[in-house]
Amino acid sequence: MIALNHFNQLPGDEAAALLQPCVAIPGWTAALVAARPFASLAELQQTASDIAGAWGRAELEQALSAHPRIGEKPAGAQAHAALSRQEQSAVDNRDAQLAAALREGNARYEARFGRVFLIRAKGRSGEEILHALEQRLTNSDAEEIAAALEQLREITLLRLAGAIGE
Ligand SMILES: NC(=O)NC1=NC(=O)NC1=O
């Protein structure tokens, strides 16, 4: 966590490196770095959300490379892997039945939509995630792109709030 005024003054490459674990979309990182300085955290969050508002299918698929499946605690020391583990901490892997249901649900989702199921896991139990997965399986392709992008924006803004503070 660094302070906003420190972030405002970082060299561009260091500022970009700090933002990189928020989402694997370099265009978003570059645009946010270029929009500095921010007068407040609220302005930073609003600008980040506005830039993310332009995301489409291409950005979704670009970002999914850095999001492990729900229930698959990612290995790896990279910052985004650690963030995923933390975000998914409420998914109790000790519940074998839940873990099996999530694996099966992920497989059905990937067969239906051709990409990993993405959900903002922070603050959700495994059961809530499973229920959301079942609901979203009934979406049309266009509805599901929009739903997944909304989750990606939530994850990204939560990670941004964790990276830059007062
Ligand atoms: N497939 C996923 O939904 N992954 C994730 N959701 C999160 O909130 N963090 C992740 O890595």
Side-chain angles (χ1 to χ4, degrees):
M1 166 83 78
I2 70 164
L4 179 62
N5 63 6
H6 182 194
F7 174 71
N8 280 333
Q9 297 159 26
L10 282 177
D13 60 336
E14 289 179 41
L18 189 92
L19 294 178
Q20 197 272 337
C22 294
V23 70
I25 301 178
W28 176 84
T29 301
L32 202 53
V33 169
R36 296 179 303 162
F38 296 103
S40 67
L41 287 176
E43 187 195 344
L44 168 67
Q45 284 280 327
Q46 187 57 57
T47 305
S49 179
D50 293 348
I51 298 168
W55 289 345
R57 184 193 193 110
E59 286 77 15
L60 176 60
E61 294 182 351
Q62 189 176 29
L64 282 174
S65 63
H67 283 280
R69 287 184 184 83
I70 285 291
E72 287 182 1
K73 289 284 191 297
Q78 306 97 318
H80 64 77
L83 286 166
S84 289
R85 278 192 296 275
Q86 177 195 14
E87 287 151 354
Q88 296 193 37
S89 57
V91 179
D92 177 3
N93 270 357
R94 292 188 305 280
D95 179 339
Q97 191 176 358
L98 172 65
L102 281 170
R103 273 196 305 277
E104 193 269 335
N106 277 322
R108 274 194 291 134
Y109 182 96
E110 289 173 38
R112 166 72 181 82
F113 293 107
R115 58 179 182 273
V116 166
F117 170 68
L118 185 74
I119 189 168
R120 183 262 301 152
K122 190 171 188 143
R124 284 185 161 118
S125 69
E127 289 76 8
E128 287 168 325
I129 289 171
L130 190 58
H131 179 68
L133 199 165
E134 295 294 343
Q135 292 291 310
R136 286 177 45 195
L137 272 167
T138 65
N139 281 343
S140 69
D141 288 342
E143 284 167 340
E144 185 49 27
I145 292 268
L149 280 169
E150 181 50 39
Q151 297 301 302
L152 182 63
R153 275 190 288 273
E154 284 187 30
I155 295 167
T156 302
L157 294 178
L158 281 169
R159 290 185 175 186
L160 178 63
I164 301 167
E166 288 303 346

